[in-house]
Amino acid sequence: MIRNPHDDAELLALVRRYVTPERRYLKLGGGLLRMQSPECDRFKRDLREDAGLITADEIAKLLEGGWRERRTAAWLVAVSRRTDFRERLGELLLASEVCCTGLAYSVTLASFGTARDADLLAAYLDRYLRRPDLGYDQTVVMGALQFIDLNLKGGQADRFRQPGGLWEQWLQDAPHMQDDSDPTPSSLSLIRRLCAFIDEGCGSSEGKRPVGRC
């Protein structure tokens, strides 16, 4: 069940504390890449501080909300590297209950970057590449999966992208994909740049990926 903050005093307090100040929820995504100093520096600092302050129970509560709450929670998970939320984010990605959250889930899983994260992304593609009628988050999930593949030298994305495979079929059949171009390069670039934002601007120095791999 998706909780409405106006019906839940605890959730509303969390929204006011972590989600809506300076319309944070709107900036978490591609908008981060258009920020310039000093706004960008301040945004990174505040996001990093809140990621360190919010508790696991509070994150779980935000993940019960709508798209604004879930998007913000996913980013706080990514910045604080709380990999214990990996499975929950994978479940939410697969369920696709609300709009405007798929990129946040994909970036978070890509920033964790393990084989299990690749499995969760692949599970999404297994389901939704079979639904060309649903223009959900197939492109950013593919970008996230390719990102992990490049870092791990894996090949999860290859089984989707083989000639005549699910990816090619989806590109042909999805009515919203009309220009016949493969969006994977731009999606991969977006994931890489957002992971770099997490690593370089918000994440701790411990456990960072080598320079140039994110």
Side-chain angles (χ1 to χ4, degrees):
M1 182 178 67
I2 301 172
R3 298 185 184 278
N4 187 323
H6 296 290
D7 298 329
D8 187 320
E10 181 183 355
L11 179 56
L12 182 59
L14 292 175
V15 168
R16 289 172 173 168
R17 171 66 181 85
Y18 295 108
V19 179
T20 56
E22 298 187 10
R23 306 183 80 185
R24 170 184 280 170
Y25 66 92
L26 284 179
K27 300 173 183 176
L28 292 170
L32 294 174
L33 305 177
R34 296 188 291 272
M35 284 188 185
Q36 298 183 3
S37 296
E39 178 192 12
C40 185
D41 296 334
R42 183 178 66 254
F43 188 90
K44 288 178 181 178
R45 183 192 65 239
D46 292 345
L47 187 62
R48 182 172 59 246
E49 289 178 356
D50 282 346
L53 290 172
I54 194 170
T55 68
D57 287 344
E58 290 171 337
I59 289 175
K61 188 75 173 179
L62 285 177
L63 289 172
E64 295 176 354
W67 71 268
R68 297 169 182 82
E69 295 81 42
R70 294 184 185 193
R71 176 192 282 184
T72 305
W75 271 90
L76 292 170
V77 166
V79 172
S80 57
R81 302 194 185 281
R82 302 193 197 200
T83 57
D84 48 316
F85 280 97
R86 169 185 289 119
E87 299 299 327
R88 179 60 176 147
L89 295 184
E91 291 172 359
L92 291 172
L93 176 64
L94 191 61
S96 292
E97 294 178 310
V98 296
C99 68
C100 307
T101 57
L103 177 59
Y105 300 150
S106 298
V107 169
T108 302
L109 294 174
S111 73
F112 293 161
T114 70
R116 178 54 185 161
D117 299 296
D119 288 342
L120 294 171
L121 294 165
Y124 178 93
L125 293 174
D126 268 321
R127 175 176 295 185
Y128 289 103
L129 288 182
R130 303 175 194 276
R131 295 295 307 273
D133 56 313
L134 300 179
Y136 284 2
D137 298 294
Q138 291 92 333
T139 58
V140 293
V141 172
M142 178 60 79
L145 182 58
Q146 282 206 309
F147 175 82
I148 295 178
D149 273 356
L150 289 171
N151 283 329
L152 295 184
K153 307 301 180 185
Q156 282 263 38
D158 293 345
R159 67 184 177 90
F160 298 108
R161 297 178 59 80
Q162 61 186 342
L166 283 175
W167 182 248
E168 181 178 294
Q169 195 64 49
W170 182 78
L171 289 176
Q172 292 175 357
D173 296 343
H176 60 287
M177 302 298 295
Q178 295 296 326
D179 60 3
D180 296 325
S181 63
D182 188 339
T184 304
S186 60
S187 296
L188 175 59
S189 175
L190 176 62
I191 295 292
R192 179 182 291 115
R193 295 170 70 192
L194 290 175
C195 282
F197 180 93
I198 294 169
D199 278 354
E200 298 167 9
C202 295
S204 65
S205 59
E206 181 181 356
K208 282 189 179 181
R209 281 175 288 273
V211 174
R213 303 257 334 250
C214 184

